[in-house]
């Protein structure tokens, strides 16, 4: 550890440190080393933490996650630079919200290195009002305005909320 030729490792960030329920999280580590790749070993680990009412991590609640448990990984490999979590691995909407700390340990003939990333499930926005004006119009001719208000909140604080709409073409 700490030697000048020791490997270095980093994990590509995930925007906001959140993963949408039902989406796969793709963790990717980059390893730099002057040692032969034949001497390199990698191992992913994870811990799960409860969150306080204020959203802070409760360190005392740490539990080691069994990455090999059925349904946690989409691709069963904890010994490569990539780790892909299965949809809903971090929970479903309505489940208890946890924070997860994923780490990768790398060692080779020159030493060892470690990197980590914290993730949690993205919380869906809560109910509010969405209105389109005018109510009716002609596609590609009418300009529609969409307003959001009356309590549309994102518990995670990810603002602005992104709204997507589509047009239905009858008879197509």
């Amino acid at each position: 550890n700490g030697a000048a030729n020791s490997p270095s490792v980093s994990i590509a960030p995930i925007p906001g440190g959140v993963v949408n329920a039902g989406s796969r999280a793709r963790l990717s580590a980059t390893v730099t080393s002057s040692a032969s790749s034949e001497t390199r070993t990698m191992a992913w680990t994870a811990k799960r933490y409860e969150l306080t009412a204020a959203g802070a991590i409760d360190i005392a609640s740490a539990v080691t996650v069994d990455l090999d448990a059925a349904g946690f990984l989409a691709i069963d490999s904890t010994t490569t630079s990539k780790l892909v979590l299965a949809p809903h691995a971090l929970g479903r909407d309505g489940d208890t919200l946890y924070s997860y700390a994923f780490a990768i340990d790398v060692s080779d003939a020159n030493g060892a290195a470690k990197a980590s990333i914290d993730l949690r499930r993205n919380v869906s926005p809560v109910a509010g009002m969405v209105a389109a004006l005018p109510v009716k119009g002609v596609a590609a001719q009418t300009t529609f305005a969409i307003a959001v208000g009356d309590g549309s909140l994102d518990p995670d604080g990810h603002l602005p909320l992104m709204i997507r709409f589509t047009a239905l073409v009858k008879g197509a």
Side-chain angles (χ1 to χ4, degrees), residues 20-31:
N20 290 332
S23 295
R24 292 181 177 183
R26 290 172 171 81
L27 304 182
S28 180
T30 300
V31 178

Side-chain angles (χ1 to χ4, degrees), residues 104-164:
I104 185 167
D105 290 285
V106 177
S107 64
D108 64 21
N110 291 336
K114 183 175 191 165
S116 65
I117 186 171
D118 293 332
L119 296 177
R120 63 186 172 95
R121 184 186 77 248
N122 194 13
V123 177
S124 298
V126 295
M129 185 268 319
V130 176
L133 296 173
V135 175
K136 293 182 180 182
V138 178
Q141 293 179 6
T142 306
T143 300
F144 292 92
I146 298 177
V148 179
D150 290 346
S152 291
L153 300 175
D154 186 345
D156 291 325
H158 301 135
L159 297 174
L161 293 178
M162 301 296 287
I163 299 170
R164 178 175 37 199

Side-chain angles (χ1 to χ4, degrees), residues 49-59 97-99 120 123 155-156:
Y49 300 91
E50 293 179 10
L51 298 175
T52 66
I57 295 172
D58 177 5
I59 299 296
L97 191 61
Y98 296 101
S99 180
R120 63 186 172 95
V123 177
D156 291 325

Side-chain angles (χ1 to χ4, degrees), residues 33-112:
S33 176
S34 61
S36 167
S37 61
E38 284 109 30
T39 68
R40 186 176 309 139
T41 61
M42 292 182 253
W44 287 94
T45 58
K47 290 194 183 269
R48 183 184 78 190
Y49 300 91
E50 293 179 10
L51 298 175
T52 66
I57 295 172
D58 177 5
I59 299 296
S61 70
V63 174
T64 299
V65 174
D66 180 2
L67 295 177
D68 294 319
F72 199 84
L73 296 180
I75 298 173
D76 293 331
S77 179
T78 58
T79 58
T80 68
S81 63
K82 310 270 188 250
L83 187 72
V84 182
L85 306 184
H88 302 294
L90 303 184
R92 298 178 182 274
D93 280 340
D95 287 354
T96 302
L97 191 61
Y98 296 101
S99 180
Y100 291 81
F102 291 89
I104 185 167
D105 290 285
V106 177
S107 64
D108 64 21
N110 291 336

